[in-house]
Amino acid sequence: MEANISTAEQILTTDGIPLKDSLKKTERRNKIKAFLLVFPLLLFIIVTFIVPIFDMLGRSIDDSQINTVYPKTFEEYKKWDKDAEELPPEEVYKAIYYELGEGDKIQIGRALTRMNYSKSGWKSLIKKTQRQIKKDLKAEVVIASYKERLIEINEKWADRTYWYAMTQMLNERTPIYYWNALDRTYDAEMNVVMQSEERRIYIKTWIKTFKVSVYVTFFCLLLGFPVAHLLANLPLRYSNLLMIFVLLPFWTSLLVRTTAWIVMLQQNGVINGVLVWLGVLSDDGRIQMVYNETGTLIAMTQILLPFMILPLYSVMKVIPPSHLRAAANLGAKPFTAFVRVYLPQTVPGMSAGGLLVFVLAIGYFITPELVGGKDGQLIGHWIAYHLKTTLNWGLCAAMGAILLGIMLILYWLYNKIVGIENIKLG
Amino acid sequence: MEDFVKFERIDKSYDGEVLVVKDLNVDIAEGEFLTLLGPSGSGKTTTLMMLAGFETPTNGEIYLKGTPISKIAPYERGIGMVFQNYALFPHMTVQENLAFPLEVRKMSKADAKEKVDAALDMVELGEFGTRFPAQLSGGQQQRVALARALVFEPQLVLMDEPLGALDKNLREQMQYEIKHIHERIGITVVYVTHDQSEALTMSNRIAVFNDGVIQQLSTPDVLYEKPDNSFVAQFIGENNKLTGTVKSVNGQYCEVDLDSGGSTKALMVNVSSAGQKTQLSVRPERISVGTNASENKFTGKVEELIYLGDHIRVRLNVCGSNEFIVKISNEGNISFKEGDNVDVSWAPDDIRALDI
């Protein structure tokens, strides 16, 4: 093989083409091939993952729907000098009168839900008013003052708190859902304030979600470490059997496992029954272990355990037994050898398993829903609740985005402290 | 010389059915370089592991400087060891690896640093202290492992096939280095290998293992020149074997009828009386070609000539064996070619009548 080196420092191939061009040409085919191979996956991920995530992020700050329903009203509303006049000017009343009377019923209905988030009471007010306006328009009533007419229809139109609540809907983008997800809301002057006492539920839930996730991760590590160690060091015949025991629950339906825990833990369940039979507990002293946080903790730990054991196992499997022997040979007592030689080498497995379990736990839904009862609910419960029951998708999206944010922060922290290249999943 | 290490009637079995080491009795002198040589599964590594404390003898006792050590835990024995795959701790730098045995001995930081630096200098890795093992080449890792086994100044160092993972050139270089370090600091070394040339290069004495039994324990020259039995003859160096029956015994020599016809006079080693079957062993370089000898003279056909630079390997068909190898040193006077018939002969002292 010979290469002609020209005077212009450009290396040519034997055929006289610049070497770089030639290399690019040969590489291009491979690149195209590789791209075509991953293209279906890329498309799949974009359609089913990236787009929905951005849609969700968009929804969490989206407030445009209501702006399409009351464009004129909002325009006039912005001109209202709140210090000078107690109630909005006549133009605002006129605009909302016609927008309610002539607007699309379905769109108004959808906007109502949004209006009710900022102040409850809007729904009935608008509905009653709308009905009356429709009658007015049919009868072609001549109206001198829309303000007076509306207040006549319903006196709440003279209540300035309703009008103030409208301030937060004016922009097409709003952070209100994020504030709501953190038990905060706007007051009449658009200041962020705490929700009223009885409506503060989310911060409590966030903290509980964190607490449960941390505990579950900790218990998984505590229980999973010895199992993974055994799994990695037993002779093949036994370790295979043990591996099946680890994986068997993995292959069983989540629902089945969760309900099995209910059977085990409930007051008339297996564990209580055995304890009473053994005389440890009296019959009326049965412990409540399910439909509370304890139940959530126990069931989630068991269900997420394989996610801790498997990464740990894969890391421990490749730690040569000679390392512990070498440590002993060099004079380290078994405990020192374990702490200084074995444990540090399992860090990639512990952190991978820990991250995996924590991330799964923080968004867990089915298990806490079934065994959590009233005080064992995690944030997933509220996301589902608003998604299905109140249809407050903005709030759902905001909560989802917060979860996503927490995950990204954790990932960043993890990368800072341990280094993401140290993660080892298998 | 007082025995530094003494194996006394050691038996070892893992399953209660098969003995991997049988009735092992070895004395190792202080400062000696003893190699345990043998094929895999011959019990040499097990013997080493019993000395290190990772295996317990099923029977018998091992003494270190007169003290029985069977009940002493490995971490209290103070024996250095170089493992087969080095067993360097991947999460520690070279310095931390070396400091580890000193730290667990509660040595002060300053003293430890001094010792670590000295050990690194000894293996010529002074500037690699802050690297991690994975950033070193195989040969460098090997040196770190060696330095780590020596840094806490044990009197006895065990090495379990430490050069097995290196390529040929590096292996030879390391053999000399280990040998020189041993000579310089005068520690006792017990070395396990299955590579006979490695054993011959480095050792004061070699114990040849087979089937859990030491076949012969002697200095390299004796093992090569005077193997006690056919296993040792076969395992150490190259060897031509012929089979036959002892016809008559005459002092230290005997007359052997070869199975392929003809007879030869051989040195009696492992046979005692006429009528016994025997395996004869003769080294390829002890055979003369084309000379006019009066005894032990045979004619064979040259099957193959292999040119190896300093010597030439000739494969002959002699005495019914076409794997008969002769090494002729290259003095530029090879006068025959493949297909020729040549005369070969050997001295009676060079052909040894061994067991079969």
Side-chain angles (χ1 to χ4, degrees):
Chain A
M1 282 204 261
E2 65 187 79
N4 303 321
I5 298 171
S6 76
T7 46
E9 285 184 41
Q10 197 179 35
I11 305 169
L12 300 180
T13 62
T14 335
D15 285 342
I17 311 159
L19 192 61
K20 279 191 177 155
D21 293 356
S22 180
L23 188 68
K24 232 182 249 166
K25 215 167 116 190
T26 43
E27 292 289 296
R28 195 183 303 138
R29 268 183 69 89
N30 286 334
K31 276 185 188 159
I32 291 173
K33 245 191 249 170
F35 179 76
L36 284 178
L37 275 174
V38 298
F39 183 71
L41 176 66
L42 190 69
L43 202 70
F44 179 79
I45 286 179
I46 288 174
V47 171
T48 63
F49 191 68
I50 311 249
V51 172
I53 279 187
F54 279 94
D55 182 61
M56 179 196 81
L57 290 176
R59 270 169 202 274
S60 69
I61 52 164
D62 180 49
D63 212 5
S64 56
Q65 195 269 337
I66 195 155
N67 276 280
T68 62
V69 177
Y70 302 111
K72 180 86 178 127
T73 311
F74 286 177
E75 200 188 314
E76 294 296 336
Y77 182 91
K78 283 174 194 161
K79 293 176 192 156
W80 173 28
D81 181 1
K82 284 175 187 161
D83 296 326
E85 302 166 280
E86 203 201 312
L87 286 174
E90 171 69 11
E91 282 73 26
V92 177
Y93 282 100
K94 185 181 175 186
I96 201 165
Y97 185 91
Y98 283 108
E99 272 167 348
L100 281 176
E102 292 160 359
D104 179 40
K105 210 174 166 185
I106 296 164
Q107 289 301 324
I108 292 172
R110 280 181 64 191
L112 268 183
T113 319
R114 163 68 186 96
M115 293 172 87
N116 235 32
Y117 299 151
S118 56
K119 182 165 175 61
S120 44
W122 267 120
K123 211 166 194 166
S124 59
L125 172 60
I126 297 277
K127 279 200 167 151
K128 279 177 197 158
T129 313
Q130 197 183 9
R131 226 174 291 134
Q132 195 56 49
I133 292 172
K134 290 254 158 107
K135 280 183 199 160
D136 281 4
L137 290 174
K138 227 175 199 172
E140 291 177 21
V141 178
V142 182
I143 294 162
S145 164
Y146 291 95
K147 190 174 186 174
E148 274 158 29
R149 176 66 189 141
L150 278 171
I151 293 169
E152 195 186 313
I153 292 172
N154 194 321
E155 63 199 5
K156 281 183 186 163
W157 287 112
D159 183 350
R160 55 185 288 165
T161 58
Y162 281 93
W163 288 110
Y164 278 141
M166 200 175 262
T167 329
Q168 51 177 282
M169 305 168 203
L170 298 179
N171 289 322
E172 291 195 5
R173 302 268 170 271
T174 173
I176 183 67
Y177 296 117
Y178 286 94
W179 289 122
N180 282 169
L182 299 172
D183 282 343
R184 278 159 176 81
T185 188
Y186 287 131
D187 65 1
E189 275 80 43
M190 284 287 284
N191 296 314
V192 176
V193 292
M194 290 296 292
Q195 294 270 29
S196 54
E197 202 84 49
E198 73 280 2
R199 297 185 69 180
R200 290 178 200 166
I201 41 173
Y202 301 126
I203 289 203
K204 228 166 50 193
T205 315
W206 281 115
I207 291 172
K208 193 187 295 158
T209 308
F210 254 102
K211 200 176 76 184
V212 167
S213 302
V214 169
Y215 277 149
V216 166
T217 311
F218 175 73
F219 286 127
C220 279
L221 187 63
L222 205 68
L223 296 173
F225 195 94
V227 176
H229 179 78
L230 205 60
L231 209 51
N233 290 293
L234 275 181
L236 199 62
R237 164 161 81 97
Y238 301 111
S239 68
N240 276 344
L241 189 70
L242 188 59
M243 186 57 119
I244 288 172
F245 286 140
V246 171
L247 289 179
L248 207 60
F250 214 41
W251 297 328
T252 318
S253 157
L254 183 63
L255 224 52
V256 173
R257 277 185 288 163
T258 308
T259 39
W261 273 115
I262 298 176
V263 172
M264 292 289 290
L265 296 175
Q266 63 188 338
Q267 277 194 307
N268 291 311
V270 178
I271 292 178
N272 268 313
V274 169
L275 287 178
V276 169
W277 182 74
L278 286 174
V280 180
L281 297 175
S282 65
D283 198 32
D284 43 0
R286 289 168 181 264
I287 319 168
Q288 177 74 36
M289 285 183 289
V290 78
Y291 304 125
N292 56 19
E293 223 178 287
T294 319
T296 306
L297 257 177
I298 294 174
M300 275 176 73
T301 302
Q302 191 264 334
I303 286 163
L304 293 174
L305 204 50
F307 292 99
M308 181 64 89
I309 293 178
L310 294 177
L312 266 177
Y313 164 73
S314 76
V315 168
M316 288 174 175
K317 189 81 194 158
V318 295
I319 299 176
S322 66
H323 282 183
L324 280 181
R325 286 187 162 190
N329 179 261
L330 294 168
K333 293 196 172 68
F335 180 75
T336 316
F338 176 78
V339 170
R340 298 230 15 221
V341 175
Y342 195 77
L343 208 58
Q345 294 192 58
T346 63
V347 165
M350 286 200 281
S351 49
L355 205 63
L356 203 61
V357 169
F358 189 84
V359 163
L360 285 171
I362 206 168
Y364 230 60
F365 173 64
I366 298 179
T367 305
E369 189 73 10
L370 289 177
V371 301
K374 218 171 149 208
D375 69 326
Q377 298 302 344
L378 307 185
I379 202 70
H381 168 79
W382 290 111
I383 296 181
Y385 172 75
H386 288 298
L387 197 69
K388 293 188 303 186
T389 312
T390 67
L391 300 183
N392 188 351
W393 286 20
L395 185 55
C396 293
M399 286 175 172
I402 291 174
L403 269 181
L404 185 67
I406 291 171
M407 239 86 96
L408 290 177
I409 289 170
L410 277 178
Y411 182 86
W412 176 80
L413 266 178
Y414 179 85
N415 194 22
K416 271 267 163 186
I417 299 167
V418 189
I420 209 70
E421 69 277 1
N422 277 331
I423 208 162
K424 217 171 157 188
L425 287 175
Chain B
M1 213 177 341
E2 199 204 330
D3 294 326
F4 187 64
V5 179
K6 187 179 180 70
F7 286 88
E8 203 174 71
R9 294 204 307 278
I10 296 289
D11 291 324
K12 173 69 188 175
S13 173
Y14 288 106
D15 53 5
E17 284 165 21
V18 182
L19 279 172
V20 273
V21 173
K22 288 173 226 162
D23 192 23
L24 181 83
N25 293 285
V26 182
D27 298 332
I28 304 169
E30 188 156 10
E32 190 176 20
F33 196 122
L34 179 86
T35 297
L36 313 181
L37 175 68
S40 55
S42 60
K44 58 191 191 308
T45 299
T46 305
T47 304
L48 196 75
M49 290 301 169
M50 286 192 285
L51 186 50
F54 301 128
E55 301 289 354
T56 327
T58 315
N59 180 48
E61 184 59 81
I62 305 169
Y63 298 91
L64 182 64
K65 288 196 279 185
T67 323
I69 55 170
S70 287
K71 292 199 166 57
I72 299 178
Y75 54 85
E76 283 169 344
R77 293 194 183 188
I79 297 174
M81 183 155 178
V82 181
F83 288 81
Q84 198 162 10
N85 292 309
Y86 318 138
L88 297 176
F89 306 138
H91 57 291
M92 298 184 190
T93 63
V94 168
Q95 277 168 347
E96 286 164 347
N97 262 288
L98 262 64
F100 183 80
L102 305 175
E103 277 169 29
V104 298
R105 285 179 171 75
K106 309 256 187 299
M107 186 181 277
S108 77
K109 278 244 155 65
D111 289 354
K113 173 122 186 45
E114 205 172 297
K115 289 224 156 125
V116 167
D117 288 346
L120 278 178
D121 284 343
M122 180 181 68
V123 294
E124 293 161 14
L125 284 175
E127 65 265 47
F128 292 94
T130 52
R131 295 218 194 159
F132 285 95
Q135 296 167 314
L136 301 177
S137 71
Q140 290 166 336
Q141 290 183 21
Q142 215 289 319
R143 286 167 206 230
V144 175
L146 185 64
R148 191 178 67 176
L150 296 172
V151 72
F152 60 100
E153 291 166 3
Q155 288 166 293
L156 175 62
V157 173
L158 314 179
M159 303 192 191
D160 183 13
E161 309 216 10
L163 308 178
L166 303 181
D167 63 54
K168 190 168 170 292
N169 282 338
L170 205 53
R171 195 156 64 220
E172 280 169 10
Q173 189 194 333
M174 284 307 296
Q175 285 169 15
Y176 291 115
E177 255 178 68
I178 292 175
K179 190 178 159 86
H180 292 154
I181 287 174
H182 165 251
E183 282 162 6
R184 206 162 63 234
I185 61 182
I187 43 163
T188 311
V189 178
V190 180
Y191 192 100
V192 162
T193 183
H194 62 265
D195 181 337
Q196 42 115 349
S197 77
E198 198 167 293
L200 293 176
T201 308
M202 306 170 78
S203 323
N204 298 123
R205 284 195 303 161
I206 301 171
V208 182
F209 272 74
N210 192 35
D211 266 345
V213 175
I214 293 184
Q215 304 289 328
Q216 190 171 359
L217 171 58
S218 198
T219 53
D221 54 330
V222 172
L223 279 182
Y224 186 80
E225 312 260 348
K226 295 170 183 161
D228 275 352
N229 57 38
S230 53
F231 177 81
V232 177
Q234 201 61 36
F235 198 75
I236 307 247
E238 213 171 359
N239 172 50
N240 290 308
K241 48 183 182 186
L242 303 167
T243 51
T245 315
V246 179
K247 192 169 80 181
S248 62
V249 175
N250 178 15
Q252 58 180 137
Y253 300 102
C254 60
E255 196 67 26
V256 176
D257 279 334
L258 297 177
D259 291 349
S260 55
S263 75
T264 180
K265 190 178 172 192
L267 191 69
M268 276 211 327
V269 179
N270 230 350
V271 287
S272 51
S273 57
Q276 255 185 309
K277 294 289 279 180
T278 181
Q279 180 171 311
L280 298 165
S281 155
V282 57
R283 298 286 182 199
E285 69 277 10
R286 293 297 169 91
I287 296 162
S288 25
V289 177
T291 48
N292 269 325
S294 55
E295 52 181 359
N296 296 346
K297 190 168 142 188
F298 296 88
T299 304
K301 187 176 156 213
V302 178
E303 297 278 349
E304 198 176 6
L305 280 172
I306 300 163
Y307 183 80
L308 285 167
D310 59 338
H311 73 271
I312 287 147
R313 271 169 75 91
V314 186
R315 187 162 65 83
L316 294 165
N317 191 342
V318 170
C319 304
S321 156
N322 66 354
E323 292 292 332
F324 199 90
I325 304 289
V326 177
K327 274 187 200 169
I328 304 168
S329 106
N330 184 4
E331 284 156 16
N333 54 1
I334 303 294
S335 56
F336 49 86
K337 53 186 194 298
E338 285 175 18
D340 288 357
N341 280 322
V342 291
D343 286 345
V344 290
S345 65
W346 48 77
D349 279 324
D350 288 334
I351 184 155
R352 298 168 69 84
L354 305 169
D355 59 312
I356 197 156

